Amino acid sequence: EQDVLKQVLRLDEFERKVKLRYDGFYVLGFIDTNDTNLTHILDYKTGGEGKEKQYQSDGYTQLPLYALALRQETGLQPSQAHVNFIQRNGKAHLGEVLTVAPVAPQMIPVDISYERLCRVYKETEEIAHEMSEFYLKHKGDKNNIND
């Protein structure tokens, strides 16, 4: 396991707190690691074989949200974003011990283009408003919440 973990990329800063502000709410996050000049952000993920595919899809928005927060807070937009995927063995739900698989960590590039950031910002805002409307509609009605 140590041989694999030594291959994990470490940048300059760890657990940088970011807030992406919207009108009426914000998204809070912690960037796993970034370089000092904020051009590269990196998120660490672990999972079984094949799970890395979810970080290659448009549905993965964590790093775009972090890039948006940095842009909003500092005026700087990172030029690179990656998921550093560490494969593991074992299935926790079956009571198996989780271990690091003897496979090199995979660097998965994440699209943080301006166009993608605009889409993610808008989608997140729409989802938050839908959640708020749902909550307000069903507030106090515990029987309907599970519908």
Side-chain angles (χ1 to χ4, degrees):
E1 290 186 351
Q2 291 299 318
D3 290 338
V4 172
L5 295 176
K6 286 178 186 174
Q7 298 174 54
V8 173
L9 180 61
R10 291 160 179 84
L11 299 175
D12 304 317
E13 183 179 14
F14 292 90
E15 293 296 318
R16 181 187 183 99
K17 182 179 177 179
V18 292
K19 272 188 185 180
L20 177 59
R21 298 179 193 287
Y22 287 85
D23 185 25
F25 71 98
Y26 62 87
V27 176
L28 175 67
F30 293 87
I31 300 171
D32 285 345
T33 188
N34 56 268
D35 60 357
T36 304
N37 55 6
L38 303 177
T39 61
H40 191 186
I41 58 176
L42 183 69
D43 195 38
Y44 300 117
K45 297 293 185 190
T46 64
E49 184 177 1
K51 187 173 181 184
E52 69 277 9
K53 291 180 179 100
Q54 78 182 61
Y55 307 113
Q56 299 166 342
S57 76
D58 272 354
Y60 175 71
T61 59
Q62 187 175 350
L63 285 174
L65 288 167
Y66 293 169
L68 278 162
L70 285 174
R71 182 182 170 98
Q72 192 178 72
E73 290 176 5
T74 68
L76 303 172
Q77 180 176 324
S79 57
Q80 295 182 68
H82 289 89
V83 167
N84 201 338
F85 183 77
I86 303 158
Q87 188 175 319
R88 63 173 161 71
N89 291 326
K91 294 177 176 65
H93 68 280
L94 298 178
E96 297 175 1
V97 174
L98 300 180
T99 59
V100 174
V103 176
Q106 183 179 355
M107 288 292 282
I108 302 167
V110 176
D111 178 9
I112 56 167
S113 64
Y114 180 74
E115 294 78 18
R116 172 112 192 271
L117 297 186
C118 289
R119 282 194 317 271
V120 168
Y121 186 90
K122 184 178 179 191
E123 289 168 3
T124 302
E125 187 172 43
E126 290 170 356
I127 290 167
H129 287 298
E130 288 172 12
M131 290 170 62
S132 180
E133 288 173 14
F134 179 85
Y135 173 76
L136 291 173
K137 180 179 178 185
H138 296 286
K139 185 177 178 183
D141 187 0
K142 294 182 184 194
N143 294 328
N144 287 335
I145 285 289
N146 295 321
D147 290 347

